[in-house]
Amino acid sequence: MPLYRAHVLVCGGTGCTSGGSDKIYDAFLKEIEAQNLKDEIQVIRTGCFGLCAEGPIVIVYPEGAFYSKVADSDVKEIVEEHLLKGRIVKRLLYKESIEEGQIKSLNEVKFYKKQMRIALRNCGVINPENIEEYIAYDGYKALAKVLTEMTPEQVIDWVKRSGLRGRGGGGFPTGLKWEFAAKAPGDVKYVVCNADEGDPGAYMDRSILEGDPHSVIEAMAIAGYAIGSKQGYVYVRAEYPLAVKRLEIAIEQARQYGLLGKNILGTGFEFDIEIRLGAGAFVCGEETALMTSIEGHRGEPRPRPPFPAVKGLWGKPTLLNNVETYANIPVIILKGPEWFASIGTEKSKGTKVFALVGKVNNTGLIEVPMGTTVREIVEDIGGGIPGGKKFKAVQTGGPSGGCIPASLMDTPIDFDSLTALGTMMGSGGMIVMDEDTCMVDIAKFFLEFTVDESCGKCPPCRIGTRRMLEILQKITSGNGTEEDLEKLEELAYSIKDSALCGLGQTAPNPVLSTLRYFRDEYEAHVKEKRCPAGACKALLRIVIDKDLCKGCGICAKNCPANAITGQIKKPFEIDQSKCIKCGVCIEKCPFKAISKKA
Amino acid sequence: MIKSIQELEEIRKKALEELEFRKQHGEGIRVVVGMATCGIAAGARPVMLKFVEEIQKRNLRNVTVVQTGCIGLCKYEPIVEVYEPNKEKVTYVKMTPEKVLKVVAEHLVNGKPVYEYTIGYEENKEANN
């Protein structure tokens, strides 16, 4: 293997790719070729670095220069200045990574300081399309260890002792699940990876598959050994083309290297993995629906029990875990269950990956020890709320979850504390909201999502959620009554009790949780016909400030509804019954005399 | 096709060598080559390439070669500075690919700086002339 004097790592995560990192990668290859540096410098596409808000990101080693918001037009300068002459291009450096002109180590940047990367350990570090880089960082060593030094029972015992709980959302103890699958009678068993990530705003599973696909493959092979299975399936949605491509490459390479297939590492153990593409239906993330879909049927859930560990794919015992859960396994095997159990809180061990999105400065992918508080995540890692606005709440768990209000910001995040707050971990989406977010509107957004995604098999979910949505639409349009609030709650509880699967049972959660912490907002909508956050369009009033208005008439000329009238040089007025709240007058007024009022 | 754990370990070791310097710098020896316009004009590029080649040939895993801008003494270019942890830096001047061979062998491998190539030696020489 040739030695290079510098490595250029270009982020190949979906965020940076949509920001043009493909072009940046090509530009580097071209420019390096043009400058005749091909033998000295290696350009590598990695997985997600995490700091998506600053993408596209390029890191140049050995200096560790962290370039953010790079454009393909910047590449020439980086090559000519940095790679050719060794002068770091300061204007492109991520501002937090420089101190007194010196580049700080990435771990010292605020965004990374409070993080602990276990599941994301290789994301942004290795080239996901090169199995040797994964092997270099102890890849497949855990598989080798279990195959040669451990019995299946010991592997299960280690996973149990580590305290790892399912990262897909429910938080079921992983080791216990493995034990059930191992003990279930039957010669044919399956190992399935759930990569059907559907929560709005969540993308951790995708990033792991894109940045470190081998960690999932290795873990599935370990699971296969532990429960006695020869065949694995990764169920991934077709909307994740990059993840699918990297996974395909990784599986192929693992086969070539003899790490999948027959007689793995000469031990006689046999295991292989196939990919199954999902059409991107939210319900297919539910385990029974997922398996039905793999079997080739329409992805609809069925009642449990029997649980998949007993009766899963094609009626055979099946072990089903999500991507992030698997990504933790090789590290647990290498570092031991006690090491893993020493991280996190009493009942939630290890770390959790979150997709930090919404009204926060550093949006991106983060991994923190369980027990980190909302405040640490939003303020320290997230860098606070943009535009000096006030923090209002954070939504976790997607459509199955709920909100944590500002007053509970110091809650340490783990499975149980979130459940106690009426929300949940979910797959790890974390949507930060500021004072301009209307909580009724948010509840409506998530309900629209579930109504769209309901498979329709059971009436509580198919009809019930639609009725709830109608009530929320009524409230946000200013026609809600106090009775509606009662009806909404009643409906929510009965859907929770009667829906067939997890999707329906949790669909009312966003409503219940916002009612719990932000009931006053609902009441303002219903009683005063007012939206305190100023987000619900129908409840806004657009008004002209008489003192600021110079009577120029520009607003009246631009109003598409002819709602503004007045005499030149005298204050104009808006007829609220005609106003369609489009806001054109606000934009056009040269004196900033027109504004929205809640 | 990996047939045994030993083979896996061999691949790991080899692959790791290539990735070693992606870790944050701080440990190990750093060879810093001045690569501003003056340095390049004076021939810094072949010097740097020679360093890379020699380091690879000798499999020196604790050494990284990096570039820097103008060190400020253009008349002594190409300039190469060697930083070792807990030691004073050594500045080599008027470097050539031939001199690199000796620096790598004596300084990087055996820990003995080659004084006749250093700036102190050159300055004395000029002062005596």
Side-chain angles (χ1 to χ4, degrees), chain A residues 486-503:
Chain A
E486 280 166 39
K487 249 192 263 169
L488 197 60
E489 256 185 307
E490 200 187 312
L491 256 171
Y493 284 115
S494 57
I495 295 170
K496 244 176 134 53
D497 289 342
S498 55
L500 172 66
C501 79
L503 170 61

Side-chain angles (χ1 to χ4, degrees), chain A residues 273-568:
Chain A
I273 294 175
E274 280 180 34
I275 301 174
R276 286 290 179 269
L277 294 185
F282 185 63
V283 71
C284 288
E286 198 278 340
E287 55 182 17
T288 59
L290 184 149
M291 293 186 305
T292 317
S293 177
I294 292 184
E295 289 170 2
H297 307 289
R298 185 187 170 116
E300 284 181 344
R302 61 158 176 79
R304 297 173 304 177
F307 288 97
V310 180
K311 216 172 168 202
L313 262 186
W314 294 291
K316 309 289 183 198
T318 301
L319 174 70
L320 214 150
N321 288 123
N322 106 313
V323 173
E324 190 189 334
T325 314
Y326 281 125
N328 280 295
I329 296 288
V331 192
I332 291 175
I333 300 292
L334 288 179
K335 297 200 173 182
E338 284 72 27
W339 170 82
F340 192 81
S342 70
I343 305 159
T345 62
E346 198 197 333
K347 286 188 175 151
S348 301
K349 301 300 187 190
T351 56
K352 178 75 191 86
V353 181
F354 292 103
L356 190 62
V357 298
K359 302 286 180 61
V360 62
N361 279 315
N362 297 334
T363 50
L365 205 63
I366 64 165
E367 182 170 355
V368 289
M370 295 276 190
T372 306
T373 65
V374 177
R375 185 185 298 279
E376 285 173 291
I377 292 178
V378 172
E379 290 181 357
D380 299 340
I381 300 172
I385 316 291
K389 300 267 179 169
K390 268 209 315 242
F391 171 77
K392 187 173 198 172
V394 48
Q395 216 278 351
T396 71
S400 312
C403 295
I404 305 168
S407 58
L408 297 171
M409 231 183 156
D410 290 307
T411 310
I413 295 179
D414 64 24
F415 288 106
D416 308 301
S417 65
L418 288 184
T419 313
L421 292 181
T423 176
M424 65 184 279
M425 187 76 84
S427 54
M430 202 174 250
I431 304 170
V432 181
M433 295 177 276
D434 68 5
E435 51 192 311
D436 292 342
T437 316
C438 167
M439 302 313 278
V440 188
D441 192 47
I442 283 293
K444 194 179 81 180
F445 167 80
F446 279 110
L447 222 60
E448 274 166 1
F449 180 83
T450 0
V451 166
D452 262 0
E453 293 285 351
S454 172
C455 77
K457 189 173 181 180
C458 71
C461 180
R462 182 180 67 241
I463 304 168
T465 55
R466 185 164 284 278
R467 291 292 95 85
M468 282 181 77
L469 177 60
E470 282 164 7
I471 296 175
L472 286 171
Q473 281 163 342
K474 203 174 150 196
I475 295 174
T476 51
S477 63
N479 300 314
T481 62
E482 282 177 66
E483 271 171 21
D484 284 329
L485 291 188
E486 280 166 39
K487 249 192 263 169
L488 197 60
E489 256 185 307
E490 200 187 312
L491 256 171
Y493 284 115
S494 57
I495 295 170
K496 244 176 134 53
D497 289 342
S498 55
L500 172 66
C501 79
L503 170 61
Q505 287 156 8
T506 58
N509 280 355
V511 174
L512 287 172
S513 142
T514 46
L515 268 171
R516 179 168 167 185
Y517 296 114
F518 299 96
R519 199 177 185 97
D520 53 328
E521 279 192 36
Y522 279 88
E523 282 174 351
H525 281 76
V526 174
K527 288 185 192 162
E528 304 160 34
K529 310 293 175 207
R530 190 173 65 85
C531 173
C536 294
K537 237 181 166 182
L539 295 177
L540 283 178
R541 288 186 319 135
I542 295 182
V543 288
I544 299 176
D545 188 325
K546 284 204 166 75
D547 298 335
L548 292 173
C549 179
K550 301 265 191 272
C552 67
I554 289 177
C555 53
K557 262 185 218 146
N558 283 289
C559 176
N562 290 327
I564 308 181
T565 49
Q567 278 182 323
I568 296 293

Side-chain angles (χ1 to χ4, degrees), chain A residues 49-78:
Chain A
F49 287 118
L51 197 59
C52 307
E54 294 291 325
I57 285 164
V58 172
I59 302 187
V60 179
Y61 286 102
E63 293 91 344
F66 191 96
Y67 293 123
S68 64
K69 293 187 178 157
V70 179
D72 49 346
S73 54
D74 295 326
V75 170
K76 199 162 190 261
E77 187 178 347
I78 296 178

Side-chain angles (χ1 to χ4, degrees), chain A residues 217-328:
Chain A
I217 295 173
E218 182 180 6
M220 287 177 74
I222 293 171
Y225 174 73
I227 69 157
S229 162
K230 285 180 191 166
Q231 183 63 47
Y233 292 96
V234 181
Y235 187 86
V236 53
R237 40 176 58 207
E239 290 117 305
Y240 281 3
L242 193 59
V244 173
K245 187 185 133 205
R246 298 250 167 91
L247 198 57
E248 279 170 351
I249 293 172
I251 290 175
E252 199 40 52
Q253 286 180 345
R255 283 186 191 139
Q256 275 169 17
Y257 277 71
L259 296 162
L260 279 181
K262 293 199 165 97
N263 196 16
I264 294 173
L265 292 167
T267 61
F269 175 62
E270 173 185 347
F271 189 78
D272 210 339
I273 294 175
E274 280 180 34
I275 301 174
R276 286 290 179 269
L277 294 185
F282 185 63
V283 71
C284 288
E286 198 278 340
E287 55 182 17
T288 59
L290 184 149
M291 293 186 305
T292 317
S293 177
I294 292 184
E295 289 170 2
H297 307 289
R298 185 187 170 116
E300 284 181 344
R302 61 158 176 79
R304 297 173 304 177
F307 288 97
V310 180
K311 216 172 168 202
L313 262 186
W314 294 291
K316 309 289 183 198
T318 301
L319 174 70
L320 214 150
N321 288 123
N322 106 313
V323 173
E324 190 189 334
T325 314
Y326 281 125
N328 280 295

